Amino acid sequence: AHNPRDKPTKNDIVSGNCRNGYNRPEFNDECEDCRTRPIEDIFTTHFTLCQKPWECHAQDGDRIQERLCRKFHGEWYRVREDLETSLWKRGVLDLTNTYETVKVRGGKF
């Protein structure tokens, strides 16, 4: 979720024109800032802005995008843990050595 406007967000206040392609004043105040949506409303994400959770980039600031990235990363780890637990309970996942490539029946994970 990038800034929906063409100028920087400062102190969580967006400025500039909407990047919705219209560039008409009657539309400029109506672009949604997806970064403020509740995490429950988000079904998919791409980690370009936040970077991959397993790369451990710092997201410890209090800017809107850093708070969003912490939510995305937290959700990613929650889903990953659910998957690993499910696979382990079914006997598909071997968790004996979690620091190396995790072995899953029929391939690697």
Side-chain angles (χ1 to χ4, degrees), residues 1-7 9 14 19 31-36 45-51 64-65 68-69 72:
H2 292 285
N3 185 349
R5 298 187 180 256
D6 62 1
K7 293 195 177 169
T9 300
V14 295
R19 296 179 195 224
C31 59
E32 178 184 11
D33 190 345
C34 297
R35 299 172 299 175
T36 62
T45 186
H46 188 274
F47 287 109
T48 301
L49 176 67
C50 300
Q51 298 302 304
I64 191 169
Q65 58 266 28
L68 177 67
C69 290
F72 283 162

Side-chain angles (χ1 to χ4, degrees), residues 54 76-104 109:
W54 54 91
W76 185 88
Y77 280 109
R78 186 193 67 75
V79 170
R80 173 68 189 247
E81 182 180 33
D82 287 351
L83 174 65
E84 288 179 1
T85 301
S86 172
L87 292 173
W88 178 75
K89 285 180 179 177
R90 291 180 13 220
V92 177
L93 183 63
D94 177 8
L95 293 176
T96 57
N97 190 349
T98 57
Y99 291 103
E100 294 181 15
T101 303
V102 177
K103 294 179 176 100
V104 178
F109 181 63

Side-chain angles (χ1 to χ4, degrees), residues 53-72:
W54 54 91
E55 292 180 354
C56 301
H57 292 278
Q59 301 289 348
D60 54 357
D62 193 34
R63 297 182 313 161
I64 191 169
Q65 58 266 28
E66 291 163 332
R67 291 192 304 270
L68 177 67
C69 290
R70 283 194 299 272
K71 290 178 187 177
F72 283 162

